[in-house]
Amino acid sequence: MSAMSVAELFNPRSIALVGATDKSGWSVSTLANLRTHGFPGPVHLVNPRGGVVHGSPAYRSLADIPEPVDLAYVMVPTAAVLGVLRDGAKLGIRSYVILTAGFGESGEEGARLEAEVAAFAAENSLTVLGPNGNGYINAAAGITPYGLPIPQPLLRGAVGVVLQSGALASSVLAFAQARNVGVSLLTSMGNETVVSVTDVIDYLVDDPATKVVALFLETIRNPREFSRVARRALEAGKPVVALKIGRSRLASHTAQAHTGALVGDDDVIDAALRQLGVIRVRSLEDLIITAGLLASTGPLPGPRIGVVTPSGGASEIIADRAEDEGLELPPFAPETVARLSEIVPSFGTVQNPLDVTGYVLIDRTLMGRALEVVTADPGIDAVMLLSEPPRVAPPDPAPALALYSASARRIAESPVPVVVVSNVLTDVTEFGRRVQQETGFPYVAGGIEHGMHAIGAAVRWSRARERVPARSPDVPAVDVAVPSGARGVWAEHRAAALLASAGLPVVPSELVHDEDAAVAAAGRFGYPVVLKVAAEGLGHKSDLGGVRLGLGGAEEVRRAYRSLAGTVPSMAGALVQPQRTGGVELLVGVVRDPAWGLTLAVGLGGVWVEALRDTALRVLPVDAADVRTALSELRGAALLDGVRGGEPADLDAVAGTVARIAALAAALGDDLLALEVNPLLVTGSRVEALDALVTWKE
């Protein structure tokens, strides 16, 4: 959709409710919403019987309306929807919200009707939101064609909400209001027949009223388009927070490669969202609280957090959650400790997190004065203040307003961002909302659990914001002859030859077809050697007993060859290789995700792949710098640093080789399903593929 057509959809000057009737709660609510929340233009009611509807005269058709209509809000029966679009198109109406259900979500006949709607909309350049959606709430402009009652008050703010669930829309809106989070636009997408989630994100990126985008996603229909708009949002400095459901692990993408067992559909989505700088959350509460925090604070400059609380118990919870979120609670600088020692009661302890003690009940200025000192600490990137607006109005609210005004002033004047978090997740009351509005006291993240998650997410997004626009991946060039007509599984001999032809380091190997040839090859390599079964389409050789290690002489090679032939009846020869010892074994695999395309998994390899499941994922393209970052995410990353006297790995050499393997996979074309090197042996600066597997489409 064009940006202009989506903008017109969300900003009509006149609206027609088609199918308006006193018998429908949808119709009653939609009209009440438009009248209650300040839509400034005319709202026309259309009912084929005419008469009086909702206390006002109704027109029999769109054609009877004597003035232009910008938006038709359609509530007619399913079979009548296309007729409304036809009538509207003749009159020049370009924007539609279709509330009606019974389309693709209901079965084959509904899908046929939806296809007709889509085709007609495309032929006539119509902008259609839905069908099977509740409409939208453009709170910033006071335009609310929305089919369910809107909880009062409708808070205008900077969070744009896009939902692939009509049933959750009202709950999300109510929770946002309960936490004093204002929205700019809330959209219930319905079936996305014409207008998609990515169209709305595009609009919100350009919308000056929106600072943060919050998404509830059942599916990402078009990963390429989603990637484009997510990058636009990141470059514009607008965080995107997403609750993507459907995390259960599905079948692996390819049965042969170990990588397939490690890379589930949701793993790929998780990796893609992180690469795009999208903040993924696990609950509706985190979706709104995190979006609200980012709308309030913007970027956070770093992970070093100073904490000011009135509770020792809360301090311990915060310390635990900070570690979970990758946040640091550094010791205060000596000058900060000295200044705080003059403020904090003698029975308190000056440390980070800072518990200013329950003395705050006696000295109401204590928290504010301590906050002022902590925000000046040179080793702190941001401060977390445990506080919240009052819940119950006292007989004389003036002292409370004065106290919160002073705190708001200190927070506004702080040299670093201050994030306010409450102890637990409770609603902001009407009096609390009044205090925030009148004093300028900032947004309060609800509860330590959700607040710490939001701070951690904000720090991670801020890092992504700094990193992504700076460069595009510097993908290595790979010169390889793409095999013609390759199908099925290429076992090690053919797979390793393919890697070697692309200039990748592969252990020397010789294919032999009898034990005399095996002995001769072993003599050329030098003992000890390895013998591996060679058979067409054979994947995991070790699972079938198809590998013999540490063969130290000619007789051992002969016995091993005969043993392999007896173990694997389909054996078509054997590979002889020099034995490699020591070093760290890595898995490097690239699999084709059906939605996102080629995805790289790198992690600890060898026999520990499935047991440890220690991998980092990246959607291609990637370069060596991306791979180094991925390696640093592994739980076993310390092994590459040379623990317990081991030789440290040359990480530049490792990352360069892995990036070239990924580039080779991309160069092999659309018929490639998976390419795996397991293990890739790393010994200092020596990096060598000891085994490989390639799976092609059948």
Side-chain angles (χ1 to χ4, degrees):
M1 297 299 303
S2 73
M4 182 176 294
S5 61
V6 176
E8 290 173 351
L9 168 71
F10 292 134
N11 294 276
R13 293 161 298 180
S14 60
I15 298 175
L17 304 186
V18 186
T21 170
D22 292 321
K23 298 177 183 179
S24 167
W26 303 100
S27 182
V28 171
S29 294
T30 305
L31 181 60
N33 288 334
L34 289 166
R35 287 176 172 170
T36 301
H37 297 291
F39 177 61
V43 178
H44 307 287
L45 306 180
V46 179
N47 183 293
R49 294 184 179 88
V52 175
V53 176
H54 307 321
S56 299
Y59 297 99
R60 292 181 181 274
S61 69
L62 284 170
D64 290 342
I65 299 173
E67 55 187 281
V69 171
D70 291 334
L71 172 69
Y73 189 90
V74 183
M75 301 176 284
V76 301
T78 308
V81 168
L82 189 57
V84 173
L85 297 186
R86 289 194 177 106
D87 292 344
K90 292 175 184 175
L91 298 168
I93 302 172
R94 295 286 171 241
S95 298
Y96 298 81
V97 172
I98 302 179
L99 181 80
T100 310
F103 287 91
E105 79 284 356
S106 65
E108 186 175 336
E109 175 61 16
R112 185 188 64 77
L113 292 172
E114 186 169 331
E116 289 182 355
V117 167
F120 184 82
E123 290 167 8
N124 293 274
S125 302
L126 305 184
T127 305
V128 178
L129 180 64
N132 187 32
N134 293 331
Y136 66 82
I137 299 169
N138 185 346
I143 304 171
T144 54
Y146 182 73
L148 295 173
I150 297 174
Q152 294 284 5
L154 175 58
L155 302 179
R156 291 164 171 82
V159 177
V161 183
V162 188
L163 303 165
Q164 284 180 331
S165 169
L168 289 176
S170 293
S171 296
V172 168
L173 183 62
F175 180 72
Q177 292 171 342
R179 289 306 312 160
N180 210 21
V181 175
V183 300
S184 54
L185 176 77
L186 182 142
T187 309
S188 172
M189 294 304 305
N191 293 4
E192 298 183 60
T193 303
V194 178
V195 175
S196 67
V197 164
T198 51
D199 292 326
V200 181
I201 297 172
D202 247 343
Y203 169 81
L204 293 173
V205 170
D206 295 327
D207 177 26
T210 301
K211 292 182 180 178
V212 180
V213 179
L215 309 175
F216 175 84
L217 300 174
E218 294 173 342
T219 183
I220 297 175
R221 301 179 192 276
N222 187 329
R224 185 183 298 275
E225 269 296 288
F226 186 88
S227 298
R228 180 188 66 79
V229 297
R231 290 192 182 97
R232 277 199 73 215
L234 193 60
E235 290 167 5
K238 293 192 177 184
V240 177
V241 187
L243 172 57
K244 168 65 179 71
I245 60 171
R247 293 188 290 117
S248 54
R249 182 171 295 277
L250 301 179
S252 62
H253 299 303
T254 170
Q256 286 284 347
H258 282 91
T259 314
L262 299 174
V263 183
D265 293 344
D266 192 68
D267 299 310
V268 177
I269 291 170
D270 209 48
L273 294 181
R274 277 187 283 110
Q275 284 174 254
L276 293 168
V278 174
I279 300 165
R280 189 174 188 184
V281 295
R282 302 298 191 197
S283 69
L284 291 169
E285 292 85 353
D286 280 327
L287 178 67
I288 296 304
I289 290 169
T290 302
L293 182 143
L294 279 158
S296 173
T297 66
L300 296 181
R304 301 173 302 171
I305 309 298
V307 180
V308 180
T309 89
S311 165
S315 297
E316 295 297 333
I317 299 173
I318 291 166
D320 288 346
R321 288 293 288 114
E323 187 170 299
D324 297 339
E325 296 293 339
L327 300 171
E328 303 169 22
L329 304 180
F332 291 134
E335 59 268 31
T336 303
V337 173
R339 291 180 63 194
L340 288 173
S341 297
E342 298 173 359
I343 298 172
V344 176
S346 58
F347 51 84
T349 302
V350 175
Q351 62 183 18
N352 190 20
L354 176 67
D355 171 16
V356 298
T357 78
Y359 202 73
V360 292
L361 296 175
I362 298 171
D363 181 357
R364 299 288 186 177
T365 70
L366 179 56
M367 282 275 282
R369 290 186 292 128
L371 174 67
E372 197 170 274
V373 174
V374 173
T375 58
D377 188 291
I380 298 296
D381 297 314
V383 173
M384 173 182 168
L385 174 66
L386 206 66
S387 180
E388 59 188 304
R391 297 183 56 77
V392 179
D396 179 10
L401 291 170
L403 182 65
Y404 279 89
S405 291
S407 294
R409 186 173 60 255
R410 283 190 170 100
I411 292 169
E413 295 173 352
S414 168
V416 296
V418 176
V419 179
V420 185
V421 178
S422 61
N423 274 303
V424 293
L425 180 56
T426 54
D427 290 356
V428 178
T429 64
E430 282 303 312
F431 180 65
R433 199 186 325 276
R434 176 191 162 191
V435 168
Q436 288 189 275
Q437 289 171 344
E438 293 185 13
T439 67
F441 194 77
Y443 168 76
V444 179
I448 295 172
E449 170 66 26
H450 299 290
M452 292 300 294
H453 179 79
I455 294 171
V459 169
R460 290 188 289 275
W461 176 81
S462 302
R463 286 173 168 167
R465 171 78 179 96
E466 294 171 358
R467 186 172 61 243
V468 172
R471 66 175 188 88
S472 297
D474 184 16
V475 179
V478 173
D479 184 15
V480 63
V482 179
S484 176
R487 292 292 181 268
V489 177
W490 281 16
E492 181 178 356
H493 180 58
R494 296 174 78 186
L498 181 64
L499 264 66
S501 72
L504 286 157
V506 178
V507 65
S509 180
E510 190 170 329
L511 178 65
V512 298
H513 297 285
D514 57 56
E515 59 187 80
D516 289 336
V519 170
R524 287 190 288 273
F525 286 132
Y527 292 98
V529 295
V530 176
L531 213 59
K532 300 178 181 178
V533 66
E536 195 65 32
L538 182 63
H540 300 153
K541 297 179 289 294
S542 57
D543 293 348
L544 302 175
V547 179
R548 300 292 182 270
L549 302 172
L551 306 176
E555 190 54 38
E556 288 186 38
V557 170
R558 292 182 185 279
R559 285 199 301 269
Y561 192 95
R562 291 193 293 270
S563 173
L564 287 178
T567 302
V568 184
S570 60
M571 175 170 158
L575 293 174
V576 183
Q577 297 172 348
Q579 174 89 33
R580 299 292 195 231
T581 58
V584 177
E585 293 185 347
L586 296 179
L587 162 83
V588 180
V590 180
V591 297
R592 185 175 300 281
D593 181 83
W596 293 88
L598 294 178
T599 303
L600 168 71
V602 58
L604 295 183
V607 298
W608 300 106
V609 174
E610 278 94 351
L612 295 180
R613 300 187 61 84
D614 186 14
T615 56
L617 304 184
R618 294 293 186 274
V619 176
L620 268 52
V622 296
D623 60 14
D626 298 322
V627 174
R628 280 206 64 157
T629 302
L631 291 170
S632 71
E633 296 170 4
L634 299 176
R635 296 191 303 277
L639 294 174
L640 294 169
D641 297 331
V643 295
R644 297 198 172 184
E647 185 179 3
D650 182 342
L651 292 177
D652 286 335
V654 177
T657 300
V658 173
R660 287 168 60 201
I661 293 171
L664 169 62
L668 290 174
D670 294 340
D671 286 340
L672 179 77
L673 284 182
L675 184 157
E676 181 176 280
V677 175
N678 182 32
L680 181 73
L681 185 65
V682 180
T683 311
S685 60
R686 181 165 150 181
V687 183
E688 192 175 42
L690 302 191
D691 200 348
L693 189 70
V694 177
T695 307
W696 306 93
K697 291 180 181 178
E698 292 294 343

